[in-house]
């Protein structure tokens, strides 16, 4: 049994049993919060968003990009509940204010260093890199995370969040399994050598099955909308995965952290979900006009 487990781990490139255990805990947390009371998902979303922000800012600081961590955490903690409880206009003002707050913090920090330590002078180029990196953290992590929370606040939002997470997890799982079994043609070898077109096809097939089930049983939508959902979320999921791979290559790291045995870090687990939450939010509002259009054709 141990030999078989070692062979599986060697082929998959991770401790598969640990990965499955961590995934089961995360899935159980999502299910419980969404199905008991969807407002319970907010602290979970806040925690995950903060952890991803901490991972990304820490990785950036290791390569010399001085992204302020404390204000970044404060912004992430603030924006997620605002996205749920307040109208979009308030969210936009709060988010942009938060980004300016983090960038301003870095500028003030550089000014204080210039005054207090005459030898430590931050170049304009380095300061621009720090400021743009600080803004990127929140435009990519905090902003995209907020779409999932905004979607959650809508009528039947808990079922939409559950559905899109299930589809993305199914796509990832199907792509992983199909890639191990049949993967030959590399998708983007310079960015993510492990991904194959065969794996993506397998993930899409598995995701389509889950999307159709979700549309029929949870969202009260026709089965064919599951095809649209699966295509859209497969694209955003793969793009999110590749984007994180490019970020890690740029920073020179294999995993964002080692907090989750067999998984790497939290960013490594939600990379596909971040842009998919924004796509699911769009699908939520596209579903009604699409249904009306289909009824007129029928």
């Amino acid at each position: 049994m141990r030999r078989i487990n070692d062979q599986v781990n060697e082929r998959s490139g991770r401790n598969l049993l640990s990965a499955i255990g961590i995934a089961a805990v995360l899935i159980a947390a999502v299910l419980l919060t969404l199905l008991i009371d969807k407002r319970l998902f907010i602290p979970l979303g806040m925690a995950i968003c903060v952890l991803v922000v901490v991972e990304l800012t820490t990785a950036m600081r290791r390569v010399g990009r001085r992204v302020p961590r404390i204000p970044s955490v404060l912004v992430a903690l603030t924006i997620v509940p605002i996205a749920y409880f307040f109208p979009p206009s308030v969210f936009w003002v709060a988010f942009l204010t938060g980004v300016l707050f983090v960038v301003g913090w870095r500028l003030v920090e550089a000014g204080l260093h210039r005054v207090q330590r005459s030898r430590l002078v931050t170049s304009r180029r380095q300061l621009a890199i720090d400021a743009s990196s600080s803004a990127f953290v929140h435009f990519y992590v905090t902003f995209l995370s907020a779409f999932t929370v905004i979607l959650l606040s809508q009528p039947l939002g808990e079922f939409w969040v559950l559905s899109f997470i299930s589809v993305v997890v199914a796509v990832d799982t199907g792509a992983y399994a199909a890639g191990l079994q049949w993967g030959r043609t590399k998708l983007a070898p310079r960015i993510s050598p492990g991904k194959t077109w065969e794996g993506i096809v397998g993930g899409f097939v598995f995701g389509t099955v889950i999307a159709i089930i979700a549309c029929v049983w949870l969202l009260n939508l026709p089965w064919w909308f599951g095809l649209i959902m699966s295509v859209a979320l497969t694209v955003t999921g793969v793009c999110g995965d590749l984007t994180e791979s490019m970020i890690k290559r740029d920073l020179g790291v294999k995993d964002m952290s080692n907090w989750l045995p067999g998984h790497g870090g939290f960013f490594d687990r939600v990379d596909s979900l971040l842009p998919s939450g924004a796509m699911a939010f769009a699908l939520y509002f596209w579903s009604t006009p699409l249904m009306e259009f289909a009824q007129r054709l029928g």
Side-chain angles (χ1 to χ4, degrees):
M1 180 64 70
R2 184 176 179 180
R3 180 180 298 177
I4 295 174
N5 185 53
D6 291 340
Q7 290 175 350
V8 172
N9 291 342
E10 182 179 357
R11 188 174 183 185
S12 63
R14 68 174 70 180
N15 188 322
L16 201 56
L17 291 179
S18 296
I20 293 173
I22 294 294
V25 172
L26 294 175
I27 291 171
V30 170
L31 286 173
L32 288 175
T33 55
L34 289 176
L35 298 180
I36 293 176
D37 185 339
K38 67 180 183 179
R39 290 171 295 184
L40 296 175
F41 185 82
I42 299 172
L44 177 63
M46 292 170 63
I48 293 176
C49 184
V50 166
L51 289 169
V52 174
V53 166
V54 170
E55 285 182 344
L56 186 52
T57 54
T58 300
M60 287 181 170
R61 290 170 71 90
R62 288 197 188 110
V63 297
R65 302 179 190 180
R66 303 288 298 178
V67 179
R69 279 180 290 197
I70 293 177
S72 293
V73 167
L74 293 176
V75 170
L77 283 173
T78 303
I79 293 302
V80 172
I82 286 177
Y84 183 88
F85 290 107
F86 291 88
S89 57
V90 176
F91 162 73
W92 277 105
V93 172
F95 173 73
L96 294 176
T97 301
V99 173
L100 292 175
F101 171 66
V102 176
V103 173
W105 182 294
R106 178 65 189 107
L107 296 177
V108 171
E109 185 181 58
L112 291 176
H113 281 164
R114 186 184 296 272
V115 172
Q116 296 174 0
R117 306 176 186 179
S118 58
R119 294 183 180 180
L120 182 60
V121 179
T122 304
S123 68
R124 290 183 179 180
R125 181 177 181 276
Q126 182 61 49
L127 199 56
I129 293 174
D130 295 345
S132 60
S133 297
S134 301
F136 173 80
V137 169
H138 292 288
F139 273 102
Y140 192 75
V141 178
T142 309
F143 181 68
L144 290 180
S145 297
F147 278 103
T148 296
V149 181
I150 297 173
L151 175 62
L152 181 69
S153 68
Q154 307 302 316
L156 299 179
E158 63 271 33
F159 297 117
W160 273 87
V161 171
L162 179 59
S163 296
F164 100 77
I165 291 178
S166 299
V167 173
V168 173
V169 170
V171 170
D172 282 347
T173 304
Y176 180 70
L180 281 179
Q181 185 67 33
W182 300 294
R184 297 292 183 273
T185 310
K186 300 297 183 180
L187 175 66
R190 293 186 178 181
I191 300 174
S192 184
K195 288 183 176 50
T196 63
W197 282 104
E198 292 84 358
I200 300 302
V201 172
F204 169 70
V205 172
F206 193 19
T208 299
V209 173
I210 301 301
I212 291 174
I213 293 174
C215 286
V216 174
W217 292 98
L218 288 179
L219 306 180
N220 195 27
L221 294 170
W223 68 269
W224 54 262
F225 192 81
L227 298 176
I228 299 175
M229 179 182 291
S230 181
V231 170
L233 295 180
T234 297
V235 171
T236 55
V238 172
C239 288
D241 204 346
L242 292 177
T243 298
E244 198 225 4
S245 295
M246 287 191 290
I247 293 172
K248 291 192 293 186
R249 278 184 170 272
D250 182 54
L251 299 178
V253 298
K254 181 179 183 295
D255 295 318
M256 282 298 174
S257 74
N258 57 0
W259 292 350
L260 299 175
H263 285 269
F266 284 92
F267 197 2
D268 298 289
R269 291 304 91 213
V270 302
D271 54 358
S272 300
L273 293 172
L274 286 173
S276 297
M279 177 56 72
F281 179 75
L283 289 170
Y284 176 85
F285 288 99
W286 291 343
S287 61
T288 299
L290 280 174
M291 296 309 104
E292 294 176 350
F293 179 72
Q295 289 173 0
R296 285 198 299 268
L297 290 179

